[in-house]
Amino acid sequence: MRVGCRLLFLITLLYWDLCSRRWLTMFGVWSVCISLVLILWGTSEKVQGKASKLWLQPLNETFLQTGVFPSGILWGVGTAAFPTEGSWDADGKGESVWDRFTRHTDPSSNSYIRGGGSGVSSVSSPAGVQHYRRLIGKLKELQVEPVVTLFHWDLPQVLQERFGGWLNRSTADVFADYAAFCFRTFGAEVRYWITMHNPFLLAVQGYGTGAHAPGVTGDPADPFIAAHNLLRAHAKAWHLYDKHFRRHQRGNVSITLGSHWVEPLHGQAMPTNLELCQKAMEAVIGWFAEPIYGSGDYPESLKASHRGVIPEFSAQERLWIKGTADFFSLAFGPETLRVGQGLARFGQTVKLDLRSVLVWVQQTYSDPQLLLAESGWFTDASVGVQDTKAIYLMKRFIMQVMQAVSVDGVCVFGYTAWTLLDGFEWNHGYSIRRGLFYIDFSEPERRRLPKTSAHFYRRLVRDNGFPAENTPHIEGRLPCDFQFGVSESVLQFTDPQLYRWNLSGDGALSPVMGILLHTRPVQCTDFLFIQRHLFLLGVTGSAHYRFALDWTQLSPGGDPEKVRFYRCVLMELQHRGIQPVVTLYHPSYHSPSLGLPEALHANGGWRNASAVEAFVSYAAFCFHKFGDFVSTWITINEPNRLTEAYTEDRKTVARNMLLAHAKAWRIYDERFRQKQGGGGAVSLAIHADWVEPANPFLESHKSAQQQFLAFEVGRFLDPLIGNEGRGNGFSNAERAELKGALDFIALNHFTTRLVAPWENAKPQKPEHGCALMTDVTWPASHLRQALVPWGLRRMLGWVDDQAFHDDQLRQSYIRSYLQEALKGERSLNVFLYILYF
Amino acid sequence: MKPDGSVRGSPVKKRNCVLNLRSVKAGETVIQSEATSLFLCVDDEDNLKGQLLYSEGDCTFQELLLEDGYSSFLSPHSKLPVSLLSKQSGQKRSAPRSRFLPVMNTQLAGKEEDIQIQDVKHYIKDINLDSDDPLGIGHQSHIQTVFSPSLHTKK
């Protein structure tokens, strides 16, 4: 089903450029569907108090990752005039405050703006009009909806010089004339008008901090005066349209307001923090939104903080300003967030949460129809066409919008990615890039090259969001011999230490050094631990239980007490009808010797070949002592992770572990398999998290994925399943010994990550040769493990491919910590086996 | 860290528990006692001790930012994580005490402040809006390790 979505193109008028339409065709041409219904949103009461609840009851946490937008939503790209248009002194164009601000030209060379009756409008230069007419015409030809912004900060310089720009009341009248001219000239073809873009930044940076043109600073009242006049200008323009043009042009007029987002400090939703959060919002977006969408006046908190400095609206003016917008237009970009963080956060925490902002607007201004007129981040100037991180930032913002629409019911009717081209970024000049298209400014031709984020956006627009994968939801049963089980690492048992129990204090047990108690020989029932532990196991209804033996305790020789403990566990399991799966060696950082007997560890651990023989003896010992009860064995847990604990000789370490496993397998195969009924199985468990190429549009990233998997998993799996290639430096004899030395494949899978080629010279390139990244749209556990269920399926698929067609090896045993991601740490972890043929 | 250079974990926050962390290179951290100015170093047996003179080979720790936000510091000799557990201790049940979180110093310099007055403020970094990666999509280069709950198990 082809979704009919529409494209919008946000443009600003004033100057002209040879803006080419060929880039627009990149985004595809869509059939025009239903025309948008104009929403007249109702009058709103003062709802400031209500919004505070948003921080008190956080939004429904959602793991929603897929979803498409309503059909008919406008997908678009925005541009501003000053950065994209060409020379200021060509074809009758006049100088703007930004020309002056950036160039500091000699005033005497300024060419006055030619114009019509009011003497100001530079657009009345015929060339300018023709340019915009052509542009709009072409857009309509391509069935792209133009959303036209009248003013994006580039005030004609002459107004600044002669009248003081926005500090002068009459600038609002000049603006109104200009607006009328535009409505008259272009209104036949334009349905969406924005009077101005982000007046907050203009007022604060232009007349407060001085970071933007005209760069006025000094008087704390100036930003408020400028804002006051900007609001009046907007209202005049709206009323003009309403009175003279709406009837036959049937368009909509609004104003784009920028916002940031804050949350209570440290997540503590105390009344003071909530008030400050509300105050922070009011100081940035409420400043302009409250007069227009709210009560008609400035927010109370703003008036209170700046009494005497902030101008007042008369009662009549309030009535006149209130309601002067046909829809809500929102900008959520880095500069507003930055300025907000610097000047208006009142000690609260700034967050990049677009969903919350949308809901705040919905709740504060009576659920208006909303256009997102600016969204996106920036990259450093050094980032070229391969802008991988930008993809994920865009993905996250759009996903947040989708969640606001699907879960919270916010009426978003358009999304605008900012911006089309790399270019001049105001006070940041050329040090950052925000375009979907890359421009190399040193190139004379100034070609526009689509970045990978442009490809991503195109795909997203084509799909109208994030459609669920085509794999159907399967309702099925796992085969009868599919076992659910629970896993544990090393079990503890008797402790001969004497403890002092600080009962009256912190209740802690502190060991008394130097004293070891003699305990009598234990009975199985003495191991209270077992009963309690296995009771919990019974509760889960598991049919299998995996745990690890403690090599440090069972070696050398094997203390009969310890052996007895484990046999008790195994007997108890058998008694309860639970199948044990036993890991011989489960290394962990918890043990100072990495789970090895102290002597081996002191001798270099797995770097020393003696560890191999020691392990084989240990394995044989375990097979002998416990084989009556155990039919499924894991020799080593996650050897690929353990190699990282060593700083030198990692290849040797890996090699020794593989050989140790293979030899142990052979011992089992030769001496124990028959004896124990022939139903036994031995393998080793490989840590097998999945990786996805970070940038799906780059071949180099797909290669990185294969490289990573080969290193992480292939390195251990290949010799065992007989795959050629990775050459771990095994001799022919060793290769023969390794081949086939496993009865099934065991994988430990927890999560999925993104992978990319390693780029930096330093620090040192990691062994796997890749850079790891996170998809910030994936939900994550408190240990920041991403919850990516389909990663498991892909890992299985990959392993299946690697194992070729050896039927025996198609049995896969998987342990998954999927629940861990949701529940956090638990002492019992769920795993599942999948047996398939 | 005591003035005699001995190092141990303490449940009570005192002046000589305040340590300054300084990054000398990406992923490499130098730890110095605020009270005594001794540097945290490892000796030949890979034990922690405080010493007056800084030597790069003994006193620079590799800082691993774990995926849960905690850090672990690896010994320059053995690359094993720094732990506040003594090697001899038989406390197998408790956590290995090798994960650290930098917190704000609540001890005012020069005063023996009573700890119960102030809450420990966790050091939460402000989101960096000047960065083109404000959400940390690309991991900091020194956390390119693949984390497995299995290896880092707390038990």
Side-chain angles (χ1 to χ4, degrees), chain A residues 345 638 647 772 774 785, chain B residues 67 79 126 139 144 148 154:
Chain A
R345 42 119 80 151
E638 300 193 0
T647 42
L772 295 174
T774 307
Q785 299 264 284
Chain B
E67 284 182 345
K79 293 297 181 234
D126 248 347
H139 291 173
Q144 294 299 323
S148 160
K154 285 239 202 50

Side-chain angles (χ1 to χ4, degrees), chain A residues 527-592:
Chain A
F527 297 118
L528 297 171
F529 167 85
I530 298 181
Q531 288 294 342
R532 247 181 277 125
H533 208 76
L534 300 191
F535 168 74
L536 284 176
L537 186 57
V539 167
T540 70
S542 304
H544 275 232
Y545 180 54
R546 178 182 166 185
F547 66 94
L549 302 173
D550 192 346
W551 189 358
T552 63
Q553 298 290 332
L554 286 174
S555 150
D559 180 351
E561 290 312 319
K562 318 281 168 60
V563 172
R564 191 193 194 115
F565 170 77
Y566 286 121
R567 285 179 70 92
C568 284
V569 173
L570 292 166
M571 274 191 282
E572 192 54 39
L573 286 170
Q574 189 181 54
H575 178 73
R576 290 161 184 265
I578 299 176
Q579 290 260 39
V581 175
V582 175
T583 303
L584 296 176
Y585 173 49
H586 185 126
S588 90
Y589 279 133
H590 166 76
S591 154

Side-chain angles (χ1 to χ4, degrees), chain A residues 656-668:
Chain A
N656 284 339
M657 282 198 281
L658 271 171
L659 286 171
H661 158 77
K663 287 181 198 282
W665 184 88
R666 297 239 170 252
I667 295 275
Y668 185 83

Side-chain angles (χ1 to χ4, degrees), chain B residues 6-51:
Chain B
S6 63
V7 178
R8 36 172 209 96
S10 158
V12 180
K13 287 191 274 276
K14 298 198 284 256
R15 267 208 79 209
N16 52 16
C17 291
V18 179
L19 301 171
N20 280 326
L21 299 173
R22 244 178 317 170
S23 182
V24 292
K25 252 189 264 187
E28 291 184 24
T29 305
V30 169
I31 305 173
Q32 190 178 17
S33 161
E34 170 81 28
T36 62
S37 296
L38 297 176
F39 291 95
L40 185 71
C41 307
V42 289
D43 65 13
D44 296 325
E45 281 129 58
D46 214 22
N47 288 319
L48 289 172
K49 65 174 171 52
Q51 72 188 32

